[in-house]
Amino acid sequence: MKKVMSFFIFVLLLTGCSSELTFTAIEIANTNNDVRTFFESVEDTNGAHLYFDEDRVIYVMLNGKNVIQGENAINFTDFSVDSDGKILNIHYIEEETENYSDATLKHQVVYKIQKDKQYETIRSFKNGNEVSFEAVSGN
């Protein structure tokens, strides 16, 4: 029994120590109050918004839900992350459409990024071009 328990603890420690750079699309409602409050405060601004939460978790909200009458609607079709040494790169594709009513289009998306390590720089790329975050916050 002691060997089984020791093995179980060893596996848990290994699992906890191994970390990968991953991301998941989530709903704003499934974030904590601080993250939700920040994203709600920037809902009126289109673009990429970044929130640092804890040591290894960041959130990115891509917002294109604010459409000016007569202009195309913005939607997001792809998202990825990669790293280059001490730089974390966030890539997304933003497209425009005249179809405002298509419920399958993603006009606002939130991603939870689990970092594999600390990064000195976080860069954002929209359609392959480096862009700034519209707002950055965190705890």
Side-chain angles (χ1 to χ4, degrees):
M1 181 66 179
K2 255 187 176 178
K3 287 183 180 181
V4 172
M5 186 62 110
S6 295
F7 177 75
F8 181 69
I9 291 172
F10 178 72
V11 170
L12 281 176
L13 288 173
L14 283 179
T15 304
C17 293
S18 67
S19 60
E20 296 179 35
L21 179 60
T22 60
F23 69 91
T24 306
I26 62 169
E27 297 294 325
I28 291 176
N30 295 334
T31 62
N32 68 43
N33 190 51
D34 292 337
V35 176
R36 193 169 37 257
T37 300
F38 169 68
F39 286 147
E40 288 171 355
S41 74
V42 297
E43 267 188 334
D44 293 336
T45 305
N46 285 348
H49 307 280
L50 181 68
Y51 188 89
F52 295 91
D53 188 41
E54 304 171 9
D55 196 30
R56 298 235 188 232
V57 177
I58 59 175
Y59 294 90
V60 174
M61 179 175 75
L62 302 177
N63 188 23
K65 73 176 201 170
N66 303 297
V67 180
I68 299 172
Q69 188 172 0
E71 292 188 5
N72 288 338
I74 295 171
N75 67 93
F76 303 98
T77 59
D78 193 28
F79 184 89
S80 64
V81 295
D82 63 49
S83 63
D84 182 18
K86 297 182 179 186
I87 300 172
L88 174 63
N89 298 308
I90 298 171
H91 305 270
Y92 62 96
I93 301 297
E94 176 183 295
E95 296 180 353
E96 294 184 4
T97 182
E98 294 177 358
N99 186 353
Y100 303 103
S101 60
D102 186 346
T104 64
L105 297 178
K106 298 176 185 174
H107 300 290
Q108 183 183 69
V109 287
V110 175
Y111 293 94
K112 179 180 181 180
I113 300 171
Q114 185 72 41
K115 299 186 298 182
D116 56 343
K117 63 181 181 180
Q118 294 292 42
Y119 291 96
E120 291 181 4
T121 305
I122 299 177
R123 299 187 320 177
S124 174
F125 294 89
K126 176 177 77 173
N127 300 340
N129 299 312
E130 188 170 4
V131 295
S132 299
F133 290 99
E134 293 295 325
V136 177
S137 187
N139 56 24

